[in-house]
Amino acid sequence: MSNLAHSEMHEVGEQPRSEAPRPELDSIRPVPRVSIQAFCETEAIANSIENASGDRRMAKAHVKVHMGGILTATDFYSNAPTPNLIVVESKSDPGGLIADLERLAQVCDAGSKVVVIGHENDVQLYRELTSRGVSEYLVAPVSMADIMKIVSELFVNPEADPLGQSFAFVGAKGGVGSSTIAHNVAWTIADKFESDVILGDFDLAFGTANINFDQDPAQGMAEAVMSPDRVDDTYLDRILAKCSDHLNLLAAPSVLDRPYDFGPGDFTSIVEVAQRSTPNVVMDIPHLWSGWSQQLLSSADKVIVTAVPDLANLRNTKNLIDKLKDLRPNDSTPYLVLNQCNVSKRPEISVSDFCEPLEIEPLAVIPFEPNLFGTAGNNGQMISEMDPKHAVVGMIEQVANIITGRTPAGEQKKASGMSLLQRFRKQK
């Protein structure tokens, strides 16, 4: 291990800030619990692998990056077991590369996969390497997306059903209406798009989804999280409450018969099973900051923050968005919904002043409509059931369109939502 002793070792977790969000990452599926070790000759390749290791899709993988190429790897594995995947970089010519790989093969355990990153764009070399059992040959430079795609292709079953999208809704403060927005968006995706949705209420003590949908299921989120070993497609299907043809609810018990203390990964299996069984998983996450809420927010495909236009909400929203950008460096910026706006005689921060420090535009600016929302809540209905032609219904549909990708962000309808946005800006 003499070469390794003198080589620089990059530990995962200290990677440099990643590239800007890249759409090509959206199709890459999360990888299972595998061990990966890389031996790199250039900082550029090492950085790409480190950046990939920090992505949420690689959260279960254990990745280490060493400086030093194939000879360093050979020296290292002469006294150590090989991981599930070895990634080696080589600047050698084809003859030298094949000779070095022959030596590496002598210390590799059966079942370990090898990916080679070379600097020779040679089809014949590629064929020679794959015929010798190399899983893939990539030509430098390679990006973070290239690394993640290869790892996913090697360890994710291509015949498995595609994972559904997960949408995490959270309030910048308690009482801002995040749950109401989440429930109405889930209903819209199910009712208007006719696409299956599982709505999960993660506020086990005080959740309102069961009330808003007029449901009283005997089992729900509490049973699932208390029995993680039992959670599979069959078990989940049994405890879901059917709200409509396309919407199923994993309800919170909303009782205080026990404390609800959970570890960071306690809800992970529930979300994973839900994503395997339905194309849309809407997560109604309570306003708190804990290990498990941070895990759900950081691992979701899209995050939607709901806020009202006051100073405390602005502070909390900025803190949330900044933290989530750090936790999700390769994903889109969290979306913003401004709710309960234009309350008579209440001092409010204008939309432009609220959004300027956040450097984002809201998906919707929803006015204060206590009669509409209050009546719908008391009746156990969604607002589109109460008044299908109300302007707020169009705003909710716009949110659903954008987060599901049916309408690209930035191409919102100008009619209802943007006219209200302009009205707020005129109040400055």
Side-chain angles (χ1 to χ4, degrees):
M1 295 177 59
S2 56
N3 289 341
L4 185 64
H6 296 287
S7 68
E8 180 185 357
M9 183 170 169
H10 295 254
E11 288 289 351
V12 173
E14 299 181 354
Q15 61 265 33
R17 185 60 180 263
S18 180
E19 310 159 22
R22 301 179 63 174
E24 61 265 34
L25 298 180
D26 293 342
S27 62
I28 297 176
R29 299 180 61 185
V31 303
R33 290 178 176 85
V34 294
S35 57
I36 304 171
Q37 293 193 350
F39 294 81
C40 306
E41 294 191 355
T42 64
E43 288 288 342
I45 299 300
N47 288 340
S48 292
I49 298 174
E50 286 173 340
N51 288 340
S53 71
D55 188 87
R56 62 180 175 84
R57 301 162 191 84
M58 298 276 286
K60 292 182 180 179
H62 182 67
V63 184
K64 285 186 178 179
V65 181
H66 309 272
M67 293 308 296
I70 299 176
L71 295 180
T72 300
T74 303
D75 195 12
F76 181 68
Y77 293 125
S78 63
N79 295 297
T82 53
N84 299 113
L85 174 63
I86 304 169
V87 181
V88 290
E89 180 189 7
S90 174
K91 298 171 74 174
S92 300
D93 59 43
L97 172 57
I98 292 173
D100 290 343
L101 286 173
E102 288 288 350
R103 286 188 283 271
L104 177 63
Q106 295 174 13
V107 297
C108 278
D109 300 328
S112 292
K113 301 180 186 295
V114 176
V115 170
V116 178
I117 301 174
H119 293 256
E120 295 280 342
N121 190 359
D122 187 332
V123 174
Q124 187 60 42
L125 175 61
Y126 172 82
R127 292 172 178 168
E128 177 69 19
L129 293 177
T130 53
S131 70
R132 290 171 177 266
V134 171
S135 297
E136 187 59 78
Y137 176 72
L138 302 176
V139 180
V142 297
S143 67
M144 172 187 68
D146 296 328
I147 298 296
M148 291 171 57
K149 182 178 179 182
I150 288 298
V151 174
S152 181
E153 288 176 351
L154 290 176
F155 293 104
V156 177
N157 181 4
E159 297 181 358
D161 293 333
L163 291 178
Q165 292 190 89
S166 58
F167 310 105
F169 287 76
V170 65
K173 238 183 114 180
V176 300
S178 175
S179 292
T180 300
I181 300 299
H183 303 166
N184 278 275
V185 168
W187 174 267
T188 298
I189 295 171
D191 185 57
K192 302 295 183 182
F193 303 166
E194 297 185 351
S195 182
D196 289 343
V197 179
I198 289 178
L199 169 62
D201 190 343
F202 290 83
D203 190 351
L204 272 71
F206 303 107
T208 58
N210 50 0
I211 294 175
N212 286 348
F213 287 98
D214 194 22
Q215 296 282 333
D216 188 20
Q219 294 180 303
M221 186 69 76
E223 286 70 28
V225 74
M226 299 297 181
S227 307
D229 295 337
R230 298 176 60 193
V231 176
D232 57 18
D233 294 344
T234 303
Y235 181 77
L236 185 64
D237 188 61
R238 190 166 68 245
I239 63 177
L240 288 172
K242 193 172 185 63
C243 299
S244 71
D245 289 342
H246 296 284
L247 178 61
N248 290 287
L249 170 64
L250 192 57
S254 304
V255 293
L256 304 180
D257 59 344
R258 69 191 111 171
Y260 297 109
D261 299 322
F262 303 106
D266 284 357
F267 289 99
T268 301
S269 62
I270 300 173
V271 177
E272 289 178 347
V273 173
Q275 284 187 270
R276 289 200 302 267
S277 61
T278 191
N280 305 284
V281 178
V282 175
M283 300 186 291
D284 178 8
I285 299 177
H287 173 71
L288 54 81
W289 193 250
S290 63
W292 65 264
S293 66
Q294 177 178 308
Q295 171 63 24
L296 289 175
L297 290 169
S298 62
S299 61
D301 291 308
K302 306 283 176 62
V303 178
I304 301 91
V305 179
T306 301
V308 302
D310 65 26
L311 189 58
N313 272 267
L314 176 56
R315 178 203 64 188
N316 292 356
T317 301
K318 180 161 178 54
N319 288 342
L320 260 176
I321 289 177
D322 287 348
K323 182 61 177 179
L324 289 171
K325 283 182 178 179
D326 289 338
L327 293 172
R328 304 155 46 84
N330 309 314
D331 289 275
S332 60
T333 299
Y335 296 108
L336 171 67
V337 172
L338 279 174
N339 193 30
Q340 302 175 10
C341 298
N342 205 21
V343 176
S344 178
K345 298 182 180 179
R346 181 183 73 178
E348 296 180 352
I349 300 175
S350 70
V351 172
S352 57
D353 286 345
F354 193 97
C355 294
E356 183 178 2
L358 306 176
E359 298 181 340
I360 58 175
E361 290 285 349
L363 291 184
V365 180
I366 301 176
F368 183 59
E369 295 282 358
N371 184 61
L372 175 69
F373 285 98
T375 305
N378 289 339
N379 292 345
Q381 292 180 301
M382 297 295 101
I383 59 171
S384 61
E385 296 179 285
M386 285 290 303
D387 187 354
K389 296 183 179 179
H390 198 285
V392 171
V393 174
M395 297 177 191
I396 295 294
E397 289 182 4
Q398 176 172 283
V399 174
N401 271 311
I402 292 172
I403 67 171
T404 58
R406 291 172 178 261
T407 300
E411 294 184 12
Q412 297 99 314
K413 293 178 182 178
K414 304 294 183 179
S416 56
M418 294 308 290
S419 63
L420 183 60
L421 175 59
Q422 294 300 327
R423 193 180 341 141
F424 267 79
R425 285 178 168 169
K426 289 179 182 178
Q427 295 177 358
K428 282 188 67 178

